[in-house]
Amino acid sequence: MRKNAFIFTMLMVAFSLSAQYQLPKLAYSYSALEPYIDSATMYIHYNNHHGAYTKNLNDALAKYPELQKKPINELFANMDQIPEDIKTSVRNNGGGYYNHVLFWELLSPASQSLMSPYVEAELKKAFGSLDKFKAEFEKAATTRFGSGWAWLIKEKNGAYRIVSTANQDNTLMSINKAQGHPVLALDVWEHAYYLKYQSKRAEYVKNFWKIVNWKKVEELMKK
Ligand SMILES: [Fe+2]
């Protein structure tokens, strides 16, 4: 029995070493975003949902070692070159993996959620006022039908734009009409809020403003 357990552990270690994508460590505890995002939702969202996207992405790429070595941005930028048998999986699970890595980084405990003068100036310049920016972002998040994401993106020409995408698509994917690197992201899948908010997505979206990691937003704006 012990020997079997040892072999199993070694196999798991070997698998995790060969798998390129790993669940990132969270910078805060499951309860750190309370009361805006509850710890049960955080636990399930991170371990079960993000965990599954990560595993499924690694499984899809396992038979294409040359794709495994490429940065995920490169896969997204050339979706037409991904083999047909794994294209949907890379789109859904690769998107799910990447989007959630970013999402966790864009959240922070409310006590640390402070907008810097730089971010404030950039948003005011682009949208006229913070209220207008927030209203447009909230609209994108609440009107996305079904599952998806709301984004603030920076386009190649440096302009900021608010868009939403379906499912796990993002604006780095060559299949997406809106193109640009994400600066802010909000997961509006039901799994992100339903335990606490049930059908009140708008309330979840409003509370998002209390736990944005604006330092990360600034870093992405300057990228
Ligand atoms: Fe999610």
PDB file of all heavy atoms in Angstrom, residues 9-41:
ATOM      1  N   THR A   9       2.663   9.267  -5.814  1.00  0.00           N
ATOM      2  CA  THR A   9       3.227  10.594  -5.537  1.00  0.00           C
ATOM      3  C   THR A   9       4.282  10.950  -6.574  1.00  0.00           C
ATOM      4  O   THR A   9       4.321  12.070  -7.095  1.00  0.00           O
ATOM      5  CB  THR A   9       3.859  10.619  -4.114  1.00  0.00           C
ATOM      6  OG1 THR A   9       2.874  10.181  -3.204  1.00  0.00           O
ATOM      7  CG2 THR A   9       4.308  12.018  -3.733  1.00  0.00           C
ATOM      8  N   MET A  10       5.144   9.983  -6.895  1.00  0.00           N
ATOM      9  CA  MET A  10       6.206  10.253  -7.871  1.00  0.00           C
ATOM     10  C   MET A  10       5.617  10.567  -9.253  1.00  0.00           C
ATOM     11  O   MET A  10       6.113  11.437  -9.967  1.00  0.00           O
ATOM     12  CB  MET A  10       7.173   9.050  -7.974  1.00  0.00           C
ATOM     13  CG  MET A  10       7.997   8.807  -6.719  1.00  0.00           C
ATOM     14  SD  MET A  10       8.702  10.312  -6.000  1.00  0.00           S
ATOM     15  CE  MET A  10       9.985  10.691  -7.153  1.00  0.00           C
ATOM     16  N   LEU A  11       4.543   9.839  -9.593  1.00  0.00           N
ATOM     17  CA  LEU A  11       3.889  10.102 -10.896  1.00  0.00           C
ATOM     18  C   LEU A  11       3.312  11.513 -10.922  1.00  0.00           C
ATOM     19  O   LEU A  11       3.420  12.224 -11.923  1.00  0.00           O
ATOM     20  CB  LEU A  11       2.782   9.072 -11.152  1.00  0.00           C
ATOM     21  CG  LEU A  11       3.255   7.694 -11.622  1.00  0.00           C
ATOM     22  CD1 LEU A  11       2.084   6.721 -11.663  1.00  0.00           C
ATOM     23  CD2 LEU A  11       3.906   7.788 -13.005  1.00  0.00           C
ATOM     24  N   MET A  12       2.707  11.894  -9.788  1.00  0.00           N
ATOM     25  CA  MET A  12       2.117  13.239  -9.716  1.00  0.00           C
ATOM     26  C   MET A  12       3.205  14.315  -9.845  1.00  0.00           C
ATOM     27  O   MET A  12       3.047  15.319 -10.519  1.00  0.00           O
ATOM     28  CB  MET A  12       1.351  13.432  -8.402  1.00  0.00           C
ATOM     29  CG  MET A  12       0.065  12.631  -8.295  1.00  0.00           C
ATOM     30  SD  MET A  12      -1.055  12.895  -9.668  1.00  0.00           S
ATOM     31  CE  MET A  12      -1.637  14.549  -9.283  1.00  0.00           C
ATOM     32  N   VAL A  13       4.345  14.059  -9.178  1.00  0.00           N
ATOM     33  CA  VAL A  13       5.464  15.013  -9.248  1.00  0.00           C
ATOM     34  C   VAL A  13       5.957  15.103 -10.685  1.00  0.00           C
ATOM     35  O   VAL A  13       6.164  16.195 -11.232  1.00  0.00           O
ATOM     36  CB  VAL A  13       6.611  14.584  -8.287  1.00  0.00           C
ATOM     37  CG1 VAL A  13       7.869  15.393  -8.551  1.00  0.00           C
ATOM     38  CG2 VAL A  13       6.167  14.748  -6.836  1.00  0.00           C
ATOM     39  N   ALA A  14       6.114  13.934 -11.331  1.00  0.00           N
ATOM     40  CA  ALA A  14       6.599  13.915 -12.715  1.00  0.00           C
ATOM     41  C   ALA A  14       5.631  14.670 -13.620  1.00  0.00           C
ATOM     42  O   ALA A  14       6.038  15.451 -14.480  1.00  0.00           O
ATOM     43  CB  ALA A  14       6.744  12.469 -13.192  1.00  0.00           C
ATOM     44  N   PHE A  15       4.321  14.461 -13.380  1.00  0.00           N
ATOM     45  CA  PHE A  15       3.330  15.149 -14.216  1.00  0.00           C
ATOM     46  C   PHE A  15       3.413  16.667 -14.010  1.00  0.00           C
ATOM     47  O   PHE A  15       3.422  17.429 -14.958  1.00  0.00           O
ATOM     48  CB  PHE A  15       1.912  14.671 -13.897  1.00  0.00           C
ATOM     49  CG  PHE A  15       0.865  15.453 -14.643  1.00  0.00           C
ATOM     50  CD1 PHE A  15       0.644  15.226 -15.991  1.00  0.00           C
ATOM     51  CD2 PHE A  15       0.133  16.463 -14.014  1.00  0.00           C
ATOM     52  CE1 PHE A  15      -0.285  15.976 -16.699  1.00  0.00           C
ATOM     53  CE2 PHE A  15      -0.790  17.215 -14.715  1.00  0.00           C
ATOM     54  CZ  PHE A  15      -1.000  16.967 -16.063  1.00  0.00           C
ATOM     55  N   SER A  16       3.519  17.071 -12.730  1.00  0.00           N
ATOM     56  CA  SER A  16       3.514  18.516 -12.484  1.00  0.00           C
ATOM     57  C   SER A  16       4.777  19.161 -13.039  1.00  0.00           C
ATOM     58  O   SER A  16       4.783  20.327 -13.406  1.00  0.00           O
ATOM     59  CB  SER A  16       3.335  18.823 -11.004  1.00  0.00           C
ATOM     60  OG  SER A  16       4.445  18.372 -10.292  1.00  0.00           O
ATOM     61  N   LEU A  17       5.876  18.402 -13.129  1.00  0.00           N
ATOM     62  CA  LEU A  17       7.101  18.977 -13.704  1.00  0.00           C
ATOM     63  C   LEU A  17       6.987  19.103 -15.217  1.00  0.00           C
ATOM     64  O   LEU A  17       7.528  20.012 -15.825  1.00  0.00           O
ATOM     65  CB  LEU A  17       8.317  18.106 -13.343  1.00  0.00           C
ATOM     66  CG  LEU A  17       8.750  18.168 -11.869  1.00  0.00           C
ATOM     67  CD1 LEU A  17       9.894  17.208 -11.610  1.00  0.00           C
ATOM     68  CD2 LEU A  17       9.174  19.581 -11.480  1.00  0.00           C
ATOM     69  N   SER A  18       6.262  18.119 -15.843  1.00  0.00           N
ATOM     70  CA  SER A  18       6.155  18.169 -17.303  1.00  0.00           C
ATOM     71  C   SER A  18       5.056  19.139 -17.747  1.00  0.00           C
ATOM     72  O   SER A  18       5.074  19.641 -18.852  1.00  0.00           O
ATOM     73  CB  SER A  18       5.872  16.769 -17.861  1.00  0.00           C
ATOM     74  OG  SER A  18       4.572  16.382 -17.491  1.00  0.00           O
ATOM     75  N   ALA A  19       4.089  19.408 -16.862  1.00  0.00           N
ATOM     76  CA  ALA A  19       3.001  20.313 -17.242  1.00  0.00           C
ATOM     77  C   ALA A  19       3.493  21.750 -17.146  1.00  0.00           C
ATOM     78  O   ALA A  19       4.039  22.152 -16.126  1.00  0.00           O
ATOM     79  CB  ALA A  19       1.816  20.094 -16.320  1.00  0.00           C
ATOM     80  N   GLN A  20       3.286  22.492 -18.220  1.00  0.00           N
ATOM     81  CA  GLN A  20       3.815  23.849 -18.227  1.00  0.00           C
ATOM     82  C   GLN A  20       3.040  24.782 -17.302  1.00  0.00           C
ATOM     83  O   GLN A  20       3.600  25.632 -16.636  1.00  0.00           O
ATOM     84  CB  GLN A  20       3.794  24.421 -19.638  1.00  0.00           C
ATOM     85  CG  GLN A  20       4.487  25.779 -19.674  1.00  0.00           C
ATOM     86  CD  GLN A  20       4.370  26.450 -21.018  1.00  0.00           C
ATOM     87  OE1 GLN A  20       3.961  25.835 -21.989  1.00  0.00           O
ATOM     88  NE2 GLN A  20       4.720  27.717 -21.090  1.00  0.00           N
ATOM     89  N   TYR A  21       1.729  24.625 -17.296  1.00  0.00           N
ATOM     90  CA  TYR A  21       0.905  25.600 -16.583  1.00  0.00           C
ATOM     91  C   TYR A  21       0.528  25.107 -15.192  1.00  0.00           C
ATOM     92  O   TYR A  21       0.116  23.964 -15.028  1.00  0.00           O
ATOM     93  CB  TYR A  21      -0.334  25.927 -17.415  1.00  0.00           C
ATOM     94  CG  TYR A  21       0.061  26.568 -18.718  1.00  0.00           C
ATOM     95  CD1 TYR A  21       0.095  25.847 -19.903  1.00  0.00           C
ATOM     96  CD2 TYR A  21       0.483  27.897 -18.744  1.00  0.00           C
ATOM     97  CE1 TYR A  21       0.515  26.434 -21.092  1.00  0.00           C
ATOM     98  CE2 TYR A  21       0.910  28.487 -19.920  1.00  0.00           C
ATOM     99  CZ  TYR A  21       0.915  27.752 -21.087  1.00  0.00           C
ATOM    100  OH  TYR A  21       1.347  28.335 -22.246  1.00  0.00           O
ATOM    101  N   GLN A  22       0.722  25.951 -14.230  1.00  0.00           N
ATOM    102  CA  GLN A  22       0.422  25.612 -12.841  1.00  0.00           C
ATOM    103  C   GLN A  22      -0.545  26.659 -12.301  1.00  0.00           C
ATOM    104  O   GLN A  22      -0.492  27.823 -12.712  1.00  0.00           O
ATOM    105  CB  GLN A  22       1.688  25.714 -11.986  1.00  0.00           C
ATOM    106  CG  GLN A  22       2.919  25.109 -12.606  1.00  0.00           C
ATOM    107  CD  GLN A  22       3.143  23.671 -12.158  1.00  0.00           C
ATOM    108  OE1 GLN A  22       2.658  23.281 -11.111  1.00  0.00           O
ATOM    109  NE2 GLN A  22       3.857  22.904 -12.954  1.00  0.00           N
ATOM    110  N   LEU A  23      -1.354  26.231 -11.344  1.00  0.00           N
ATOM    111  CA  LEU A  23      -2.212  27.203 -10.652  1.00  0.00           C
ATOM    112  C   LEU A  23      -1.290  28.169  -9.905  1.00  0.00           C
ATOM    113  O   LEU A  23      -0.448  27.722  -9.135  1.00  0.00           O
ATOM    114  CB  LEU A  23      -3.075  26.487  -9.618  1.00  0.00           C
ATOM    115  CG  LEU A  23      -4.552  26.271  -9.876  1.00  0.00           C
ATOM    116  CD1 LEU A  23      -5.216  25.749  -8.613  1.00  0.00           C
ATOM    117  CD2 LEU A  23      -5.236  27.517 -10.363  1.00  0.00           C
ATOM    118  N   PRO A  24      -1.419  29.464 -10.121  1.00  0.00           N
ATOM    119  CA  PRO A  24      -0.538  30.393  -9.404  1.00  0.00           C
ATOM    120  C   PRO A  24      -0.948  30.492  -7.937  1.00  0.00           C
ATOM    121  O   PRO A  24      -2.105  30.264  -7.611  1.00  0.00           O
ATOM    122  CB  PRO A  24      -0.801  31.726 -10.117  1.00  0.00           C
ATOM    123  CG  PRO A  24      -2.199  31.600 -10.595  1.00  0.00           C
ATOM    124  CD  PRO A  24      -2.427  30.148 -10.934  1.00  0.00           C
ATOM    125  N   LYS A  25       0.010  30.820  -7.098  1.00  0.00           N
ATOM    126  CA  LYS A  25      -0.338  31.018  -5.676  1.00  0.00           C
ATOM    127  C   LYS A  25      -1.113  32.330  -5.550  1.00  0.00           C
ATOM    128  O   LYS A  25      -0.741  33.332  -6.169  1.00  0.00           O
ATOM    129  CB  LYS A  25       0.934  31.133  -4.847  1.00  0.00           C
ATOM    130  CG  LYS A  25       1.556  29.806  -4.519  1.00  0.00           C
ATOM    131  CD  LYS A  25       2.052  29.797  -3.054  1.00  0.00           C
ATOM    132  CE  LYS A  25       2.275  28.394  -2.555  1.00  0.00           C
ATOM    133  NZ  LYS A  25       3.460  27.763  -3.155  1.00  0.00           N
ATOM    134  N   LEU A  26      -2.181  32.327  -4.746  1.00  0.00           N
ATOM    135  CA  LEU A  26      -2.912  33.572  -4.501  1.00  0.00           C
ATOM    136  C   LEU A  26      -2.103  34.451  -3.551  1.00  0.00           C
ATOM    137  O   LEU A  26      -1.455  33.941  -2.645  1.00  0.00           O
ATOM    138  CB  LEU A  26      -4.279  33.274  -3.873  1.00  0.00           C
ATOM    139  CG  LEU A  26      -5.332  32.602  -4.751  1.00  0.00           C
ATOM    140  CD1 LEU A  26      -6.584  32.304  -3.925  1.00  0.00           C
ATOM    141  CD2 LEU A  26      -5.691  33.467  -5.949  1.00  0.00           C
ATOM    142  N   ALA A  27      -2.180  35.755  -3.767  1.00  0.00           N
ATOM    143  CA  ALA A  27      -1.428  36.687  -2.914  1.00  0.00           C
ATOM    144  C   ALA A  27      -2.182  37.017  -1.627  1.00  0.00           C
ATOM    145  O   ALA A  27      -1.718  37.823  -0.825  1.00  0.00           O
ATOM    146  CB  ALA A  27      -1.132  37.964  -3.692  1.00  0.00           C
ATOM    147  N   TYR A  28      -3.371  36.427  -1.462  1.00  0.00           N
ATOM    148  CA  TYR A  28      -4.208  36.716  -0.288  1.00  0.00           C
ATOM    149  C   TYR A  28      -4.993  35.452   0.056  1.00  0.00           C
ATOM    150  O   TYR A  28      -5.023  34.499  -0.728  1.00  0.00           O
ATOM    151  CB  TYR A  28      -5.167  37.879  -0.603  1.00  0.00           C
ATOM    152  CG  TYR A  28      -5.744  37.832  -1.993  1.00  0.00           C
ATOM    153  CD1 TYR A  28      -6.802  36.983  -2.296  1.00  0.00           C
ATOM    154  CD2 TYR A  28      -5.189  38.585  -3.025  1.00  0.00           C
ATOM    155  CE1 TYR A  28      -7.299  36.897  -3.576  1.00  0.00           C
ATOM    156  CE2 TYR A  28      -5.688  38.504  -4.318  1.00  0.00           C
ATOM    157  CZ  TYR A  28      -6.747  37.662  -4.584  1.00  0.00           C
ATOM    158  OH  TYR A  28      -7.227  37.567  -5.857  1.00  0.00           O
ATOM    159  N   SER A  29      -5.623  35.461   1.232  1.00  0.00           N
ATOM    160  CA  SER A  29      -6.363  34.271   1.664  1.00  0.00           C
ATOM    161  C   SER A  29      -7.745  34.234   0.993  1.00  0.00           C
ATOM    162  O   SER A  29      -8.191  35.239   0.439  1.00  0.00           O
ATOM    163  CB  SER A  29      -6.526  34.286   3.184  1.00  0.00           C
ATOM    164  OG  SER A  29      -7.398  35.343   3.541  1.00  0.00           O
ATOM    165  N   TYR A  30      -8.402  33.084   1.088  1.00  0.00           N
ATOM    166  CA  TYR A  30      -9.740  32.945   0.491  1.00  0.00           C
ATOM    167  C   TYR A  30     -10.736  33.949   1.082  1.00  0.00           C
ATOM    168  O   TYR A  30     -11.677  34.350   0.428  1.00  0.00           O
ATOM    169  CB  TYR A  30     -10.288  31.529   0.690  1.00  0.00           C
ATOM    170  CG  TYR A  30      -9.466  30.447   0.031  1.00  0.00           C
ATOM    171  CD1 TYR A  30      -8.984  29.362   0.756  1.00  0.00           C
ATOM    172  CD2 TYR A  30      -9.173  30.505  -1.336  1.00  0.00           C
ATOM    173  CE1 TYR A  30      -8.227  28.361   0.156  1.00  0.00           C
ATOM    174  CE2 TYR A  30      -8.419  29.511  -1.945  1.00  0.00           C
ATOM    175  CZ  TYR A  30      -7.938  28.446  -1.200  1.00  0.00           C
ATOM    176  OH  TYR A  30      -7.195  27.472  -1.798  1.00  0.00           O
ATOM    177  N   SER A  31     -10.505  34.322   2.334  1.00  0.00           N
ATOM    178  CA  SER A  31     -11.468  35.218   2.995  1.00  0.00           C
ATOM    179  C   SER A  31     -11.079  36.696   2.880  1.00  0.00           C
ATOM    180  O   SER A  31     -11.811  37.566   3.357  1.00  0.00           O
ATOM    181  CB  SER A  31     -11.598  34.840   4.475  1.00  0.00           C
ATOM    182  OG  SER A  31     -10.343  34.987   5.099  1.00  0.00           O
ATOM    183  N   ALA A  32      -9.946  36.981   2.235  1.00  0.00           N
ATOM    184  CA  ALA A  32      -9.404  38.353   2.225  1.00  0.00           C
ATOM    185  C   ALA A  32     -10.285  39.357   1.473  1.00  0.00           C
ATOM    186  O   ALA A  32     -10.163  40.556   1.690  1.00  0.00           O
ATOM    187  CB  ALA A  32      -8.017  38.350   1.624  1.00  0.00           C
ATOM    188  N   LEU A  33     -11.151  38.848   0.594  1.00  0.00           N
ATOM    189  CA  LEU A  33     -11.971  39.772  -0.204  1.00  0.00           C
ATOM    190  C   LEU A  33     -13.393  39.919   0.360  1.00  0.00           C
ATOM    191  O   LEU A  33     -14.240  40.583  -0.233  1.00  0.00           O
ATOM    192  CB  LEU A  33     -12.026  39.320  -1.667  1.00  0.00           C
ATOM    193  CG  LEU A  33     -10.656  39.031  -2.306  1.00  0.00           C
ATOM    194  CD1 LEU A  33     -10.817  38.485  -3.708  1.00  0.00           C
ATOM    195  CD2 LEU A  33      -9.784  40.282  -2.314  1.00  0.00           C
ATOM    196  N   GLU A  34     -13.606  39.294   1.507  1.00  0.00           N
ATOM    197  CA  GLU A  34     -14.911  39.426   2.196  1.00  0.00           C
ATOM    198  C   GLU A  34     -15.153  40.886   2.549  1.00  0.00           C
ATOM    199  O   GLU A  34     -14.179  41.594   2.843  1.00  0.00           O
ATOM    200  CB  GLU A  34     -14.881  38.604   3.493  1.00  0.00           C
ATOM    201  CG  GLU A  34     -14.787  37.109   3.278  1.00  0.00           C
ATOM    202  CD  GLU A  34     -16.157  36.407   3.317  1.00  0.00           C
ATOM    203  OE1 GLU A  34     -17.185  37.122   3.252  1.00  0.00           O
ATOM    204  OE2 GLU A  34     -16.170  35.185   3.391  1.00  0.00           O
ATOM    205  N   PRO A  35     -16.341  41.373   2.599  1.00  0.00           N
ATOM    206  CA  PRO A  35     -17.590  40.649   2.314  1.00  0.00           C
ATOM    207  C   PRO A  35     -17.982  40.714   0.827  1.00  0.00           C
ATOM    208  O   PRO A  35     -19.046  40.262   0.462  1.00  0.00           O
ATOM    209  CB  PRO A  35     -18.606  41.435   3.148  1.00  0.00           C
ATOM    210  CG  PRO A  35     -18.103  42.848   3.096  1.00  0.00           C
ATOM    211  CD  PRO A  35     -16.601  42.748   3.048  1.00  0.00           C
ATOM    212  N   TYR A  36     -17.124  41.257   0.000  1.00  0.00           N
ATOM    213  CA  TYR A  36     -17.510  41.498  -1.411  1.00  0.00           C
ATOM    214  C   TYR A  36     -17.448  40.227  -2.255  1.00  0.00           C
ATOM    215  O   TYR A  36     -18.287  40.002  -3.111  1.00  0.00           O
ATOM    216  CB  TYR A  36     -16.651  42.618  -1.991  1.00  0.00           C
ATOM    217  CG  TYR A  36     -16.677  43.824  -1.086  1.00  0.00           C
ATOM    218  CD1 TYR A  36     -15.549  44.227  -0.369  1.00  0.00           C
ATOM    219  CD2 TYR A  36     -17.874  44.517  -0.873  1.00  0.00           C
ATOM    220  CE1 TYR A  36     -15.602  45.296   0.503  1.00  0.00           C
ATOM    221  CE2 TYR A  36     -17.938  45.582   0.005  1.00  0.00           C
ATOM    222  CZ  TYR A  36     -16.799  45.968   0.697  1.00  0.00           C
ATOM    223  OH  TYR A  36     -16.851  47.009   1.574  1.00  0.00           O
ATOM    224  N   ILE A  37     -16.394  39.420  -1.998  1.00  0.00           N
ATOM    225  CA  ILE A  37     -16.369  38.070  -2.567  1.00  0.00           C
ATOM    226  C   ILE A  37     -16.134  37.129  -1.388  1.00  0.00           C
ATOM    227  O   ILE A  37     -15.157  37.283  -0.651  1.00  0.00           O
ATOM    228  CB  ILE A  37     -15.268  37.902  -3.639  1.00  0.00           C
ATOM    229  CG1 ILE A  37     -15.542  38.815  -4.843  1.00  0.00           C
ATOM    230  CG2 ILE A  37     -15.209  36.439  -4.109  1.00  0.00           C
ATOM    231  CD1 ILE A  37     -14.508  38.743  -5.952  1.00  0.00           C
ATOM    232  N   ASP A  38     -17.070  36.208  -1.196  1.00  0.00           N
ATOM    233  CA  ASP A  38     -17.020  35.336  -0.022  1.00  0.00           C
ATOM    234  C   ASP A  38     -15.981  34.224  -0.192  1.00  0.00           C
ATOM    235  O   ASP A  38     -15.627  33.850  -1.312  1.00  0.00           O
ATOM    236  CB  ASP A  38     -18.408  34.735   0.224  1.00  0.00           C
ATOM    237  CG  ASP A  38     -18.877  33.941  -0.977  1.00  0.00           C
ATOM    238  OD1 ASP A  38     -19.133  34.549  -2.038  1.00  0.00           O
ATOM    239  OD2 ASP A  38     -18.935  32.698  -0.879  1.00  0.00           O
ATOM    240  N   SER A  39     -15.534  33.692   0.951  1.00  0.00           N
ATOM    241  CA  SER A  39     -14.441  32.721   0.889  1.00  0.00           C
ATOM    242  C   SER A  39     -14.846  31.412   0.220  1.00  0.00           C
ATOM    243  O   SER A  39     -14.028  30.793  -0.451  1.00  0.00           O
ATOM    244  CB  SER A  39     -13.824  32.469   2.261  1.00  0.00           C
ATOM    245  OG  SER A  39     -14.807  32.324   3.219  1.00  0.00           O
ATOM    246  N   ALA A  40     -16.106  30.994   0.363  1.00  0.00           N
ATOM    247  CA  ALA A  40     -16.524  29.744  -0.296  1.00  0.00           C
ATOM    248  C   ALA A  40     -16.422  29.896  -1.815  1.00  0.00           C
ATOM    249  O   ALA A  40     -15.929  29.006  -2.516  1.00  0.00           O
ATOM    250  CB  ALA A  40     -17.946  29.389   0.114  1.00  0.00           C
ATOM    251  N   THR A  41     -16.866  31.034  -2.328  1.00  0.00           N
ATOM    252  CA  THR A  41     -16.777  31.279  -3.770  1.00  0.00           C
ATOM    253  C   THR A  41     -15.313  31.301  -4.210  1.00  0.00           C
ATOM    254  O   THR A  41     -14.946  30.695  -5.222  1.00  0.00           O
ATOM    255  CB  THR A  41     -17.457  32.619  -4.144  1.00  0.00           C
ATOM    256  OG1 THR A  41     -18.838  32.515  -3.820  1.00  0.00           O
ATOM    257  CG2 THR A  41     -17.297  32.946  -5.615  1.00  0.00           C
TER     258      THR A  41
END
